[in-house]
Each structure stands twice: as C-alpha cells, then as structure tokens.
Amino acid sequence: MASTGASSSLLLFTSSVLLLAALCAASVPYAPGLSENFYDESCPQAAAIVRSYVLKYLTNDSSFAGAFNRLQFHDCWVQGCDGSVLLNSTDTNSAEREAHVNFGLRGLKEVDEIKAALEYACPGVVSCADLLILAARDATSIAGGLSWSVGLGRRDSRVSNDLLADGNLPFPVFPFDILVDNFARKNFSAREMVVLSGAHTIGRSHCNGILPHIYNFTGGNNETDIDPTLNPGFAAYLKRNCPFGNRDNSIPIDSTSGKFDNAYYKNVLGGKGVFITDSTLITTTLGNSIVSSFAEGDSTFFQEFADAMVKMGNLGVLTGSQGEIRQKCQFVN
C-alpha cells in the first residue's frame, strides 16, 4: 500500500493536471452521437466515480496505468469501442478475452468494480465502452501524461469473438511494415502508430509476448536466437526474467514504467525495446526519425498521444438505440 503522504501528493498532482485539462484538450473531433456533456443530466458524477477508482488502483499499483490503456486499445481495435473485450465466453462462443493476442489482459476485475459503483449511482446509464475510455484517459493523466476531453455516449456490443481479436490486433512480433499496414486499416498513419506505441511507457507485460524477441527471433525456437539489435545487457536482463518457455512471468515494459514520459523512445533508440514491435520502430528511416524526435525533451509526444487516443475512441462506436447499456460488463443483459 502507498503511504498517506504519497497518496496526498498523487491527489494534488492529479488535481493540477485536471485543472490544465482545458489547455491540454485534444483537437480531434468526436464521432457523431458522442459529446462531452452526454451524462451531465443522467449521471453527472460518472467521470468523478471512474477517476476516483482509477486513482485508487494506481496508488496501490502504478502499473495499472498500462492495463487501462491496453484495455481501450484492445477494445477499440476490434469492431470498435463497444466494450466487447470485457465480455465473458459462453458455451457456444469464445470471446475476445480468450484470443492469443489478449494473453494476460489485466484490469478486468477492476473494471467490474468501477461498473458496480456506476450502477449503484446511476443504474443502466453509463456504458462499459465509455467506462474504458474514461479510465484510459484518467490513468494516463494520473501517471503524468496529459488529460484530454472525451466524447461520451457509446453503447455496448452484444457480440465478442476471439477470432476477431486475433484478426485485428497487432501481435508483438509484427515488423514495421506490417504494423503500418495494421494501423492504416483503421485510418491511422505510420506516425500515429509510433505515437500509440508510446503507451508502452507505462505498465507491465507477461513474458508471453517477449519470448520471441529473445529466443525465437528468426522462428527457429532456439534459446540463442536473439534479436541482434537488442542491447546485449538488456537482452541478458530479459532472459533472466523471462526464462525459455516461461510465458507467465511479468516485467516492467519501460525503465520508468509507473510514469508516463518519453523514456520509452530513448529506450528503443538504445536497443532496449521489450517487444519486437518496439525494436522494429527504428529499422526504417521513417520510424527512426519519429522515434528520435519523440525522444527529445521538447517533443510533441504528449499532445499527439492525446489526439490519437481521442481518434481511437471514435472507432466503430454504437450510439442511440444500437447495442445496449450492460448492467455488468462481463455479460449481455
């Protein structure tokens, strides 16, 4: 547990960030049907409830900032921002949560707790899809990034399928050109792909996605088959913490994993990217140029990240009478 002093400092810092939110607001327009004041009358305390719980989780474990960011991305990239990543499997359907690419997904229990609080305050009003958008925004700002205004009014999907997740989300072994193509299919540029890769500045990862970087880089399932671009000392660190065949250990994915900053880009430039998708960013002139610019102290990374998160939150939203407002995020009504 964090000390009382640490909690107070975090609260003061968060309040300061929120006061500056209007100055730091993202400049991307919202999808039709979304608005910043969507819950002003039906559940005016919704954003405060989400923020209070996210602050509690991050005070106890700062790596949850990465978990909430990952949940937004893994939800929105698969049939849109509709809360489908949260649904449980059934006897006749394997849900997104079971997909290979969603191995080790964290924060699901915490989302259920936030949803229960929202249902207690405003029954049947706030969607699980909007909850994820708010939680990712708050987690980023509490960890030291910008806050940004969010459009709300999404509704929840009744459909979730593991094959859709594996067919849409990028795997941690993708090279640069495949990553660019994956993001282009969602109308995101190569630069926006590098920007959103910066989410790896916070959080932890299970070894499952790291093993191919340090044992199986060329596909030979060989214990000595390491990405040659990795810093040798860092590769040794990864091997110590992710022994051959061990998928379940977890490590920080950044040297300052509890703080949202640009250290990720400095690490990638120094051969210390945790995933193949990190190291590959500097294998092309374009990628190297973008990474190098974000590694600078006066870069535009923070604002571009906020803009990209708002843009992502517009993907495939359900509004109006579409979908439903789930009472529990794990189950359709």
Side-chain angles (χ1 to χ4, degrees), residues 90-164:
T90 67
D91 291 340
T92 58
N93 179 69
S94 183
E96 290 174 31
R97 289 165 58 167
E98 312 303 328
H100 296 294
V101 75
N102 279 328
F103 181 89
L105 203 64
R106 300 176 67 212
L108 300 170
K109 178 175 70 69
E110 288 71 21
V111 166
D112 288 341
E113 186 177 9
I114 300 172
K115 177 60 172 172
L118 289 169
E119 284 296 305
Y120 181 81
C122 314
V125 173
V126 182
S127 68
C128 300
D130 277 347
L131 188 168
L132 291 182
I133 298 296
L134 287 165
R137 186 272 305 273
D138 293 338
T140 302
S141 66
I142 292 168
L146 295 184
S147 185
W148 56 85
S149 299
V150 293
L152 301 168
R154 296 167 192 79
R155 291 171 64 85
D156 299 321
S157 173
R158 300 183 181 95
V159 178
S160 181
N161 183 272
D162 61 343
L163 296 180
L164 286 175

Side-chain angles (χ1 to χ4, degrees), residues 60-111:
N60 291 332
D61 181 354
S62 61
S63 71
F64 266 109
F68 287 123
N69 266 261
R70 188 186 185 203
L71 280 172
Q72 175 176 330
F73 178 57
H74 282 233
D75 184 41
C76 293
W77 225 244
V78 184
Q79 69 184 17
C81 307
D82 59 1
S84 57
V85 72
L86 303 171
L87 282 170
N88 280 348
S89 295
T90 67
D91 291 340
T92 58
N93 179 69
S94 183
E96 290 174 31
R97 289 165 58 167
E98 312 303 328
H100 296 294
V101 75
N102 279 328
F103 181 89
L105 203 64
R106 300 176 67 212
L108 300 170
K109 178 175 70 69
E110 288 71 21
V111 166

